[in-house]
């Protein structure tokens, strides 16, 4: 009772009845009628004789072993028209471009999983110790000696979408994974529906390439994907990593669209919210490679690359602690994939070097610049039909992750009928992301005409930024109130970069080694955000090492000096006490600006600017005035107003006298 090779019509038109009869024929082969299995098979035939053999009810009940064997051996019809899961099996087989036996294996697997008669008979055979993989292969038309191997090499099983598992009774049964279950539940009637459910939905671009003008490598990556598409090159993998909120997924979508590729997500949550596990996602990846390989214009995105390797951590050498899965399997997957894959992750520190070496390109995506974020906001506003107000700029400066919540915030504003363009929602989200209150906005743009410095500020600032160099450092010295912090904010605005302010209290620690770590973290944060780093009161960090009392004090100075030498982005340091700095520190700063009290002419101009009145002659007798003094008195006038210019001058004199280094008369004079 050997099966002949399945005819094409049989592979394409298998029905539930045909599959069940073939299963029954294979099970009856060599089985004694008096055995437990033989009795169970005969009982099954009697129960379903009407459906399987076209018998009348009375004849079905009287069916004997010999008659049943004769009926299951009868020639099969090639006129099946079953729809549902079997129609889906035929559609999937065509999409996979498999031969007739593999097509029939897919049909048999679907039938056992979802159709009553094949499923019931498979349960019966399993209870009696049947070899389900071999049985499925023979039913599909494979030779007995090759049947089990053909099943296990079928794309369903090689991809991991289906497998065989032993239950607690030792019975080996067919098991379908998340994506395949989803497919069989929904029964799509076209190839696009199959791809969407087995692989993942399409990810169309929502932003143009111009939105990622801050990504210098964008054009190279576009050309890389275009080349992969043109040459059908295998093993093309791109990793995009960076902190949350940098737009990794959005950039992947835009990049694929620019290269003429349709991007599909891999193993994502379905419409019901069901979540795939690692095995599910890898199965979806493998099936995606198989289904999309022949199309030539597709790419895959695998968000959260950690799912591929687990929560791994570096250990010793090239070994990773906590790694999941076979390293050989992952390496081969990366080397042979016919469809380009874009991988995203928040960090690559848990990815071992063996994997990274097989990547075509590794891109670290930084948070967008302020200008790019504001352009993005304008586009989102147009898409959502809202007009962003002027509060967005300070919000983006304070919390750069705000750019990642722009769209949802703008949509919230539209739904709520707010005219602010989403700042209410964005502020709430940004506060949650920050884990506390937002920092206050920085000072308003400065007027260089109200500052006195050596060398002149206009000269220094004209040299910073336009030439494109970013690895410069600036030391601002001078008494309190001369505008050091305001100038740092002005520089950040000029360079279109966020300002990261680090004070002594932020960095110093009582624990040995922690201050150095905090200093390193400050520079790392500036690098990741592309910001201008400001060290306020830097004399507490870069003090003269000859005055150090402990080794760790020297270590923290050394740490900061080292980072100043190698940091590739702007650094500003401010101090009221330049004389306390370590002599070696001065050499680390490309530009050194001493801010001075205002001379008479600039003091008079500042008086008019701050108080809207002509300066009285008495102002010339006040020495040591700074822009900060003017700002303090201006705030006083909000609560204790006066129109008397002489009274304002008196208040300015009091501010100067209150400074710690102000000249005071000696008591006996």
């Amino acid at each position: 009772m050997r099966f002949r090779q399945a005819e094409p019509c049989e592979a394409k038109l298998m029905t539930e009845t045909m599959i069940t009869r073939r299963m029954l024929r294979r099970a009856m082969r060599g089985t004694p009628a008096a055995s437990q299995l033989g009795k169970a098979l005969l009982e099954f035939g009697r129960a379903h004789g009407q459906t399987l053999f076209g018998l009348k009810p009375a004849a079905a009940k009287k069916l004997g072993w010999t008659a049943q064997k004769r009926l299951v051996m009868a020639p099969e019809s090639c006129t099946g028209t079953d729809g549902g899961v079997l129609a889906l099996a035929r559609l999937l087989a065509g999409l996979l471009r498999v031969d007739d036996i593999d097509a029939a294996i897919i049909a048999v697997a679907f039938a056992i999983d979802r159709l009553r008669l094949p499923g019931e008979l498979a349960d019966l055979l399993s209870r009696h110790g049947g070899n389900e993989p071999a049985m499925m292969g023979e039913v599909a038309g494979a030779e007995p000696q090759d049947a089990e191997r053909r099943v296990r090499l079928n794309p369903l099983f090689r991809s991991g979408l289906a497998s065989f598992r032993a239950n607690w009774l030792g019975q080996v049964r067919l098991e379908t994974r998340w994506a395949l279950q989803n497919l069989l539940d929904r029964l799509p009637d076209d190839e696009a529906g199959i791809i969407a459910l087995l692989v993942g939905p399409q990810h169309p671009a929502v932003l143009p390439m111009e939105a990622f003008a801050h990504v210098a490598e964008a054009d190279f990556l576009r050309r890389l994907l275009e080349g992969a598409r043109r040459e059908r090159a295998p093993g093309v993998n791109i990793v995009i990593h960076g902190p949350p909120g940098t737009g990794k997924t959005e950039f992947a979508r835009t990049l694929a669209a620019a290269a003429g590729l349709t991007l599909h997500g891999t193993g994502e949550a379905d419409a019901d919210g069901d979540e795939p596990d690692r095995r599910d996602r890898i199965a979806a990846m493998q099936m995606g490679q198989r289904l999309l390989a022949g199309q030539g214009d597709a790419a895959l995105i695998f968000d959260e690359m950690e799912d591929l390797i687990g929560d791994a951590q570096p250990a010793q050498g090239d070994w990773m602690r906590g790694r999941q899965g076979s390293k050989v399997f992952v390496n081969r997957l990366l080397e042979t994939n016919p469809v380009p894959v874009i991988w995203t992750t928040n960090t690559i520190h848990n990815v071992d070097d063996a994997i990274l070496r097989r990547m075509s390109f590794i891109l670290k995506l930084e948070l967008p610049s302020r200008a790019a974020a504001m352009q993005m906001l304008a586009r989102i506003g147009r898409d959502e039909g809202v007009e962003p107000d002027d509060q967005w700029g300070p919000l983006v400066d304070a919390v750069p992750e705000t750019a990642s919540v722009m769209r949802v915030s703008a949509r919230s504003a539209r739904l709520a009928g707010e005219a602010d363009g989403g700042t209410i929602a964005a502020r709430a989200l940004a506060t949650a992301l920050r884990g506390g209150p937002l920092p206050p906005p920085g000072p308003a743009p400065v007027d260089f005409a109200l500052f006195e410095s050596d060398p002149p500020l206009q000269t220094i600032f004209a040299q910073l930024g336009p030439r494109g160099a970013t690895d410069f450092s600036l030391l601002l010295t001078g008494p309190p109130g001369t505008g050091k912090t305001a100038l740092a904010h002005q520089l950040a605005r000029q360079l279109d970069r966020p300002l990261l302010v680090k004070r002594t209290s932020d960095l110093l620690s009582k624990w040995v080694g922690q201050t150095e770590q905090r200093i390193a973290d400050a520079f790392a944060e500036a690098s990741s955000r592309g910001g201008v780093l400001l060290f306020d009161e830097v004399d507490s960090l870069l003090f003269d090492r000859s005055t150090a009392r402990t080794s760790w004090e020297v270590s923290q100075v050394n740490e900061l000096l080292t980072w100043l030498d190698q940091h590739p982005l702007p650094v500003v340091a401010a101090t009221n006490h330049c004389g306390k700095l370590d002599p070696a520190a001065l050499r680390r700063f490309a530009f050194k600006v001493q801010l001075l009290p205002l001379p008479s002419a600039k003091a008079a101009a500042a008086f008019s600017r701050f108080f809207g009145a002509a300066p009285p002659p008495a102002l010339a007798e006040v020495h040591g005035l700074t822009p900060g003094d003017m700002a303090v008195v201006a705030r006083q006038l909000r609560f204790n107003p006066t129109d008397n210019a002489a009274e304002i001058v008196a208040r300015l004199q009091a501010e100067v006298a209150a400074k710690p280094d102000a000249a005071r008369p000696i008591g006996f004079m």
Side-chain angles (χ1 to χ4, degrees), residues 399-438:
V399 186
E401 295 87 352
T402 302
S404 66
V405 300
M406 286 179 176
R407 186 171 296 279
V408 67
S409 300
R411 183 177 296 116
S412 297
R414 177 176 58 81
L415 294 173
E418 289 288 336
D420 66 350
T423 53
I424 294 177
R427 190 175 300 277
L429 289 169
T431 301
L433 290 171
R434 183 178 173 86
L438 300 181

Side-chain angles (χ1 to χ4, degrees), residues 172-190:
V172 178
R173 294 303 319 276
L174 172 70
E175 180 182 86
T176 54
R177 297 293 299 171
W178 168 82
L180 193 54
Q181 293 171 12
N182 200 21
L183 181 75
L184 294 171
D185 287 341
R186 299 181 182 277
L187 297 177
D189 57 4
D190 59 14

